[in-house]
Amino acid sequence: MMNKESKYINVKGQLMDLSEPRVMGILNVTPDSFYSESRLQTVEKIAARVVEIVNEGADFIDIGAYSSRPNADHVSLEEEMNRLRMGLEVITDVCPSIPISVDTFRADAARMCVEEYGAALINDISAGEMDSEMFSTVAGLGVPYIIMHMKGTPQTMQQAPHYDNLMKEIFRYFARKIHQLYELGVKDLILDPGFGFGKTLEHNYGLMGCLEDFALFDLPVLVGISRKSMIYKLLDGTPENALNGTTALNTIALMKGADILRVHDVKEAVEAVRIVRQMKSCAIDC
């Protein structure tokens, strides 16, 4: 079990300490997310979800308007931005104080969300691969940037993904991206290993088994495995009945050094954080 050094990110001018893991609640303003119960398209449902996320103890809301599930339909920039505007207006009305992360790979959408609605972070599943303007845009906006590893695109990523050496390829990918972003002046980076994005079930569990190795980068690590197929396919279930497996795997991720959990089920994730924190605080010589 690793001892965590203090890590900070600048969230709208305030330093947030990640030495205690944080929880990011998922808010999908899409009609086709893989987990059916997370699909929200009306103001009333979005508002109720925001209240639920906040009341259950999340530190961030992560809003997404483009489904990144395997084989998802392409959504135009205009449609994505319209969905984001609706969701962001509800969040800022219902709970203006909670930091907002925007799940987008498009620079124009990122800029709009930060400049018009005060979004605090950008969460990019493609780490700049799907929009060449994203890196320079994030640098100009001066917000923390979550970069994820993905092989291919949401439309192609699960078509027989192959790695000669999984961890070596992911580490080289992040090393290259981090160098490019630092050269542009980006100061706050968060790494997402990309569970389920261009990876088989075996790749995903191998990656989880090596999660503590990401400490090499000395950057916060976000883990997003909530109700994903690496859980429900292993357990012969569905996204709808994958909460128990999600909580078990989130707990393992915390034990291996995860700094942020991105989840559908905030209460259970917050409880996992509290349990792991209590165990670490009461550590004894065995």
Side-chain angles (χ1 to χ4, degrees), residues 32 34 66-75 150 153-160 196-198 233:
D32 57 347
F34 79 91
Y66 185 115
S67 177
S68 55
R69 64 177 174 80
N71 303 310
D73 292 335
H74 182 72
V75 175
M150 174 172 62
T153 68
Q155 290 74 31
T156 66
M157 63 187 180
Q158 290 306 104
Q159 296 175 7
F197 286 81
K233 286 185 178 179

Side-chain angles (χ1 to χ4, degrees), residues 15-214:
L15 290 180
M16 178 181 285
D17 185 358
L18 299 180
S19 59
E20 178 175 323
R22 304 286 181 158
V23 175
M24 177 179 283
I26 297 170
L27 178 68
N28 287 323
V29 286
T30 57
D32 57 347
S33 297
F34 79 91
Y35 176 39
S36 60
E37 293 184 27
S38 74
R39 301 169 189 167
L40 305 171
Q41 294 184 273
T42 68
V43 169
E44 293 76 18
K45 287 185 177 181
I46 293 170
R49 175 61 177 156
V50 170
V51 171
E52 179 182 52
I53 289 172
V54 173
N55 287 346
E56 290 186 351
D59 301 285
F60 311 92
I61 288 179
D62 187 57
I63 182 171
Y66 185 115
S67 177
S68 55
R69 64 177 174 80
N71 303 310
D73 292 335
H74 182 72
V75 175
S76 70
L77 172 62
E78 181 181 14
E79 177 64 22
E80 181 184 9
M81 291 176 72
N82 286 339
R83 293 176 183 176
L84 286 170
R85 285 191 175 97
M86 179 178 68
L88 288 164
E89 287 173 5
V90 175
I91 298 171
T92 54
D93 181 54
V94 173
C95 188
S97 61
I98 191 162
I100 299 170
S101 165
V102 179
D103 181 359
T104 185
F105 58 82
R106 288 167 163 152
D108 286 345
R111 184 183 301 106
M112 180 271 291
C113 293
V114 174
E115 293 181 347
E116 296 182 22
Y117 295 93
L121 303 91
I122 298 301
N123 181 10
D124 181 2
I125 61 169
S126 78
E129 292 287 326
M130 295 173 69
D131 188 334
S132 62
E133 299 298 316
M134 182 61 99
F135 278 15
S136 59
T137 298
V138 170
L141 293 170
V143 295
Y145 184 39
I146 302 167
I147 55 172
M148 193 189 78
H149 175 270
M150 174 172 62
K151 196 162 192 173
T153 68
Q155 290 74 31
T156 66
M157 63 187 180
Q158 290 306 104
Q159 296 175 7
H162 170 78
Y163 299 86
D164 292 329
N165 185 309
L166 176 69
M167 294 304 294
K168 184 179 291 185
E169 289 186 38
I170 292 175
F171 272 44
R172 285 177 174 170
Y173 178 92
F174 279 133
R176 176 169 54 88
K177 297 290 184 180
I178 292 166
H179 175 74
Q180 292 172 344
L181 288 159
Y182 281 167
E183 287 287 299
L184 291 169
V186 177
K187 295 180 173 61
D188 291 290
L189 288 174
I190 299 166
L191 307 183
D192 179 348
F195 291 98
F197 286 81
K199 299 169 185 73
T200 65
L201 187 144
E202 290 76 17
H203 290 148
N204 286 316
Y205 281 97
L207 182 57
M208 182 63 75
C210 296
L211 189 66
E212 61 265 44
D213 293 351
F214 284 87

Side-chain angles (χ1 to χ4, degrees), residues 260-275:
I260 301 172
L261 298 178
R262 181 181 179 274
V263 299
H264 297 94
D265 308 281
V266 172
K267 177 177 179 290
E268 290 78 3
V270 169
E271 289 176 351
V273 169
R274 290 181 62 187
I275 287 169

